[in-house]
Amino acid sequence: VSTQSTGSGKRAGMSTSDKKEIYTYEAPWLVYGMNWSVRRGGSEFRLAIGSFLEEYSNQVEIVELNTDTGSFVSTATFDHPYPTTKIQWIPDAAGTHPDLLGTTGDYLRLWEVREDGVHPHKLFRNNRHSEFCAPLTSFDWNETDPTMICTASIDTTCTIWDIQKEEPKQQLIAHDSDVYDIAFAKGVNVFASVGADGSMRMFDLRTLQHSTIMYESPGGAPLIRLAWNKQDPNYLSTIMQGKESVVILDIRVPTQPLAELKGHESPVNALAWAPHSQCHICTAGDDSHALIWDMSSCQTGPVGQVVEDPILAYKASNFINNLQWSSAQPDWVSIVYKKSVQILRV
């Protein structure tokens, strides 16, 4: 069923007596960074959001949905140097570790969320002898081993950090130019990165002396984001800068796209695989649409398919800059546009 909605946040055909399917939070600033808490037991509707202000002083805010009142409440705000390029909560559903939040910008920083507020926990810098740093574009927190974080930098490198020992386990030159995004596969050894050189490369921590080129974009167009299917790690997806399509890859058939998703009318900015299904992916972009796609037929078919029809569509009232699919609440997707954060029941 394809469902369309108006920019006011109502889906076509949805009556006001229906259980509420959309909640909106208006931040005091433009929002870019955003991530769902994965901690269960009361924090399932908690998100961290980051400001996008073109100056040194930025902020991160933690908001939580009050399910009784149906509105978001701001539970903490803290200052952050420069806009966050990515925000991620510690992948710790059971709550066995401290309640940590990671951010990247000039450095990788960890913050501890406590009842009395948010406190700086650790700052990770590669070159302690230099006053200059190469900005970090993204990072990923390993779900299997939460002591491991991998960062991506504009200086062509990726760094694997041991956050307990507070030292880099590995640093490698991953691309010929800026690295824009990085993601771990399921498990602890394999990760992939994309960058300004137009390539997606796959690495194995056990054999870092060589990598596998998974995909090279036509004409070398920069690849800006990638997402790994955690339910079936054979599948990866990526987007090109300024392009309306999404590329789906099968690591068993490198360099040849399994499928291209061509439902957006403007450049795609964000993508996320369903955390509970191996065949669903959500994409969002400058056409103000968030689209959910069913990849089950592609996963059994030949390479080179083109898919034009999503199974679900939602129209926001402005360009969508970021998107996350909640692993603690897999019926909910969050999007950000301008100063708004919306969570949508899917």
Side-chain angles (χ1 to χ4, degrees), residues 268-287:
V268 181
N269 296 323
L271 68 172
W273 290 92
H276 61 308
S277 159
Q278 65 182 33
C279 60
H280 291 96
I281 188 170
C282 187
T283 59
D286 280 355
D287 59 0

PDB file of all heavy atoms in Angstrom, residues 268-287:
ATOM      1  N   VAL A 268      19.046  12.379  -2.964  1.00  0.00           N
ATOM      2  CA  VAL A 268      18.803  11.608  -1.734  1.00  0.00           C
ATOM      3  C   VAL A 268      19.880  11.992  -0.717  1.00  0.00           C
ATOM      4  O   VAL A 268      21.059  12.112  -1.063  1.00  0.00           O
ATOM      5  CB  VAL A 268      18.846  10.087  -2.018  1.00  0.00           C
ATOM      6  CG1 VAL A 268      18.563   9.290  -0.749  1.00  0.00           C
ATOM      7  CG2 VAL A 268      17.835   9.731  -3.113  1.00  0.00           C
ATOM      8  N   ASN A 269      19.472  12.196   0.527  1.00  0.00           N
ATOM      9  CA  ASN A 269      20.406  12.612   1.582  1.00  0.00           C
ATOM     10  C   ASN A 269      20.688  11.545   2.631  1.00  0.00           C
ATOM     11  O   ASN A 269      21.710  11.621   3.315  1.00  0.00           O
ATOM     12  CB  ASN A 269      19.861  13.855   2.305  1.00  0.00           C
ATOM     13  CG  ASN A 269      19.753  15.054   1.389  1.00  0.00           C
ATOM     14  OD1 ASN A 269      20.606  15.259   0.529  1.00  0.00           O
ATOM     15  ND2 ASN A 269      18.698  15.841   1.548  1.00  0.00           N
ATOM     16  N   ALA A 270      19.777  10.591   2.796  1.00  0.00           N
ATOM     17  CA  ALA A 270      19.926   9.658   3.918  1.00  0.00           C
ATOM     18  C   ALA A 270      19.257   8.336   3.581  1.00  0.00           C
ATOM     19  O   ALA A 270      18.327   8.278   2.763  1.00  0.00           O
ATOM     20  CB  ALA A 270      19.313  10.253   5.188  1.00  0.00           C
ATOM     21  N   LEU A 271      19.733   7.273   4.231  1.00  0.00           N
ATOM     22  CA  LEU A 271      19.154   5.946   4.013  1.00  0.00           C
ATOM     23  C   LEU A 271      19.376   5.099   5.264  1.00  0.00           C
ATOM     24  O   LEU A 271      20.312   5.309   6.022  1.00  0.00           O
ATOM     25  CB  LEU A 271      19.763   5.278   2.778  1.00  0.00           C
ATOM     26  CG  LEU A 271      21.231   4.846   2.778  1.00  0.00           C
ATOM     27  CD1 LEU A 271      21.502   4.034   1.507  1.00  0.00           C
ATOM     28  CD2 LEU A 271      22.203   6.000   2.826  1.00  0.00           C
ATOM     29  N   ALA A 272      18.462   4.150   5.476  1.00  0.00           N
ATOM     30  CA  ALA A 272      18.563   3.274   6.651  1.00  0.00           C
ATOM     31  C   ALA A 272      17.823   1.974   6.363  1.00  0.00           C
ATOM     32  O   ALA A 272      16.668   1.985   5.933  1.00  0.00           O
ATOM     33  CB  ALA A 272      17.950   3.950   7.885  1.00  0.00           C
ATOM     34  N   TRP A 273      18.508   0.844   6.595  1.00  0.00           N
ATOM     35  CA  TRP A 273      17.843  -0.455   6.503  1.00  0.00           C
ATOM     36  C   TRP A 273      16.967  -0.674   7.737  1.00  0.00           C
ATOM     37  O   TRP A 273      17.280  -0.176   8.825  1.00  0.00           O
ATOM     38  CB  TRP A 273      18.874  -1.576   6.429  1.00  0.00           C
ATOM     39  CG  TRP A 273      19.635  -1.641   5.144  1.00  0.00           C
ATOM     40  CD1 TRP A 273      20.824  -1.034   4.870  1.00  0.00           C
ATOM     41  CD2 TRP A 273      19.267  -2.355   3.948  1.00  0.00           C
ATOM     42  NE1 TRP A 273      21.227  -1.314   3.584  1.00  0.00           N
ATOM     43  CE2 TRP A 273      20.299  -2.129   2.995  1.00  0.00           C
ATOM     44  CE3 TRP A 273      18.189  -3.162   3.599  1.00  0.00           C
ATOM     45  CZ2 TRP A 273      20.261  -2.682   1.709  1.00  0.00           C
ATOM     46  CZ3 TRP A 273      18.154  -3.708   2.317  1.00  0.00           C
ATOM     47  CH2 TRP A 273      19.167  -3.479   1.392  1.00  0.00           C
ATOM     48  N   ALA A 274      15.910  -1.436   7.557  1.00  0.00           N
ATOM     49  CA  ALA A 274      15.067  -1.794   8.707  1.00  0.00           C
ATOM     50  C   ALA A 274      15.895  -2.616   9.690  1.00  0.00           C
ATOM     51  O   ALA A 274      16.619  -3.525   9.278  1.00  0.00           O
ATOM     52  CB  ALA A 274      13.854  -2.596   8.241  1.00  0.00           C
ATOM     53  N   PRO A 275      15.797  -2.317  10.983  1.00  0.00           N
ATOM     54  CA  PRO A 275      16.587  -3.082  11.953  1.00  0.00           C
ATOM     55  C   PRO A 275      16.017  -4.473  12.241  1.00  0.00           C
ATOM     56  O   PRO A 275      16.686  -5.290  12.864  1.00  0.00           O
ATOM     57  CB  PRO A 275      16.531  -2.206  13.213  1.00  0.00           C
ATOM     58  CG  PRO A 275      15.296  -1.402  13.069  1.00  0.00           C
ATOM     59  CD  PRO A 275      15.060  -1.203  11.601  1.00  0.00           C
ATOM     60  N   HIS A 276      14.791  -4.746  11.754  1.00  0.00           N
ATOM     61  CA  HIS A 276      14.108  -5.992  12.113  1.00  0.00           C
ATOM     62  C   HIS A 276      13.705  -6.796  10.888  1.00  0.00           C
ATOM     63  O   HIS A 276      13.078  -7.849  11.016  1.00  0.00           O
ATOM     64  CB  HIS A 276      12.853  -5.659  12.923  1.00  0.00           C
ATOM     65  CG  HIS A 276      11.851  -4.824  12.164  1.00  0.00           C
ATOM     66  ND1 HIS A 276      12.209  -3.651  11.545  1.00  0.00           N
ATOM     67  CD2 HIS A 276      10.532  -4.999  11.909  1.00  0.00           C
ATOM     68  CE1 HIS A 276      11.124  -3.139  10.947  1.00  0.00           C
ATOM     69  NE2 HIS A 276      10.119  -3.939  11.150  1.00  0.00           N
ATOM     70  N   SER A 277      14.059  -6.311   9.693  1.00  0.00           N
ATOM     71  CA  SER A 277      13.662  -6.992   8.460  1.00  0.00           C
ATOM     72  C   SER A 277      14.818  -6.935   7.488  1.00  0.00           C
ATOM     73  O   SER A 277      15.456  -5.894   7.328  1.00  0.00           O
ATOM     74  CB  SER A 277      12.437  -6.294   7.859  1.00  0.00           C
ATOM     75  OG  SER A 277      12.325  -6.589   6.480  1.00  0.00           O
ATOM     76  N   GLN A 278      15.090  -8.040   6.795  1.00  0.00           N
ATOM     77  CA  GLN A 278      16.237  -8.060   5.889  1.00  0.00           C
ATOM     78  C   GLN A 278      15.932  -7.458   4.526  1.00  0.00           C
ATOM     79  O   GLN A 278      16.842  -7.270   3.724  1.00  0.00           O
ATOM     80  CB  GLN A 278      16.740  -9.487   5.714  1.00  0.00           C
ATOM     81  CG  GLN A 278      15.760 -10.430   5.037  1.00  0.00           C
ATOM     82  CD  GLN A 278      16.308 -11.838   4.944  1.00  0.00           C
ATOM     83  OE1 GLN A 278      17.042 -12.280   5.818  1.00  0.00           O
ATOM     84  NE2 GLN A 278      15.950 -12.537   3.879  1.00  0.00           N
ATOM     85  N   CYS A 279      14.677  -7.136   4.262  1.00  0.00           N
ATOM     86  CA  CYS A 279      14.354  -6.719   2.891  1.00  0.00           C
ATOM     87  C   CYS A 279      13.738  -5.323   2.789  1.00  0.00           C
ATOM     88  O   CYS A 279      13.261  -4.950   1.724  1.00  0.00           O
ATOM     89  CB  CYS A 279      13.443  -7.754   2.223  1.00  0.00           C
ATOM     90  SG  CYS A 279      11.894  -8.022   3.059  1.00  0.00           S
ATOM     91  N   HIS A 280      13.745  -4.535   3.868  1.00  0.00           N
ATOM     92  CA  HIS A 280      13.159  -3.199   3.784  1.00  0.00           C
ATOM     93  C   HIS A 280      14.214  -2.127   4.048  1.00  0.00           C
ATOM     94  O   HIS A 280      15.054  -2.269   4.931  1.00  0.00           O
ATOM     95  CB  HIS A 280      11.998  -3.054   4.777  1.00  0.00           C
ATOM     96  CG  HIS A 280      10.816  -3.889   4.409  1.00  0.00           C
ATOM     97  ND1 HIS A 280      10.600  -5.139   4.960  1.00  0.00           N
ATOM     98  CD2 HIS A 280       9.803  -3.667   3.526  1.00  0.00           C
ATOM     99  CE1 HIS A 280       9.488  -5.654   4.427  1.00  0.00           C
ATOM    100  NE2 HIS A 280       8.997  -4.784   3.562  1.00  0.00           N
ATOM    101  N   ILE A 281      14.132  -1.062   3.257  1.00  0.00           N
ATOM    102  CA  ILE A 281      15.058   0.051   3.404  1.00  0.00           C
ATOM    103  C   ILE A 281      14.271   1.350   3.258  1.00  0.00           C
ATOM    104  O   ILE A 281      13.289   1.408   2.496  1.00  0.00           O
ATOM    105  CB  ILE A 281      16.204  -0.042   2.358  1.00  0.00           C
ATOM    106  CG1 ILE A 281      17.272   1.016   2.633  1.00  0.00           C
ATOM    107  CG2 ILE A 281      15.689   0.042   0.942  1.00  0.00           C
ATOM    108  CD1 ILE A 281      18.552   0.831   1.804  1.00  0.00           C
ATOM    109  N   CYS A 282      14.677   2.371   4.008  1.00  0.00           N
ATOM    110  CA  CYS A 282      14.035   3.682   3.946  1.00  0.00           C
ATOM    111  C   CYS A 282      15.041   4.687   3.396  1.00  0.00           C
ATOM    112  O   CYS A 282      16.227   4.642   3.739  1.00  0.00           O
ATOM    113  CB  CYS A 282      13.564   4.094   5.340  1.00  0.00           C
ATOM    114  SG  CYS A 282      12.579   5.610   5.361  1.00  0.00           S
ATOM    115  N   THR A 283      14.573   5.594   2.530  1.00  0.00           N
ATOM    116  CA  THR A 283      15.428   6.623   1.937  1.00  0.00           C
ATOM    117  C   THR A 283      14.704   7.963   2.055  1.00  0.00           C
ATOM    118  O   THR A 283      13.475   8.018   2.098  1.00  0.00           O
ATOM    119  CB  THR A 283      15.722   6.321   0.454  1.00  0.00           C
ATOM    120  OG1 THR A 283      14.470   6.264  -0.272  1.00  0.00           O
ATOM    121  CG2 THR A 283      16.436   4.992   0.295  1.00  0.00           C
ATOM    122  N   ALA A 284      15.476   9.055   2.087  1.00  0.00           N
ATOM    123  CA  ALA A 284      14.859  10.379   2.215  1.00  0.00           C
ATOM    124  C   ALA A 284      15.735  11.413   1.536  1.00  0.00           C
ATOM    125  O   ALA A 284      16.959  11.241   1.437  1.00  0.00           O
ATOM    126  CB  ALA A 284      14.666  10.736   3.685  1.00  0.00           C
ATOM    127  N   GLY A 285      15.114  12.516   1.085  1.00  0.00           N
ATOM    128  CA  GLY A 285      15.922  13.479   0.354  1.00  0.00           C
ATOM    129  C   GLY A 285      15.305  14.840   0.172  1.00  0.00           C
ATOM    130  O   GLY A 285      14.344  15.231   0.851  1.00  0.00           O
ATOM    131  N   ASP A 286      15.860  15.574  -0.798  1.00  0.00           N
ATOM    132  CA  ASP A 286      15.483  16.961  -1.037  1.00  0.00           C
ATOM    133  C   ASP A 286      14.097  17.120  -1.649  1.00  0.00           C
ATOM    134  O   ASP A 286      13.608  18.249  -1.773  1.00  0.00           O
ATOM    135  CB  ASP A 286      16.510  17.627  -1.979  1.00  0.00           C
ATOM    136  CG  ASP A 286      17.775  18.056  -1.250  1.00  0.00           C
ATOM    137  OD1 ASP A 286      17.816  17.918  -0.010  1.00  0.00           O
ATOM    138  OD2 ASP A 286      18.713  18.535  -1.915  1.00  0.00           O
ATOM    139  N   ASP A 287      13.470  16.021  -2.063  1.00  0.00           N
ATOM    140  CA  ASP A 287      12.090  16.115  -2.558  1.00  0.00           C
ATOM    141  C   ASP A 287      11.086  16.068  -1.401  1.00  0.00           C
ATOM    142  O   ASP A 287       9.877  15.968  -1.638  1.00  0.00           O
ATOM    143  CB  ASP A 287      11.795  15.011  -3.579  1.00  0.00           C
ATOM    144  CG  ASP A 287      11.991  13.605  -3.017  1.00  0.00           C
ATOM    145  OD1 ASP A 287      12.352  13.477  -1.824  1.00  0.00           O
ATOM    146  OD2 ASP A 287      11.795  12.635  -3.784  1.00  0.00           O
TER     147      ASP A 287
END
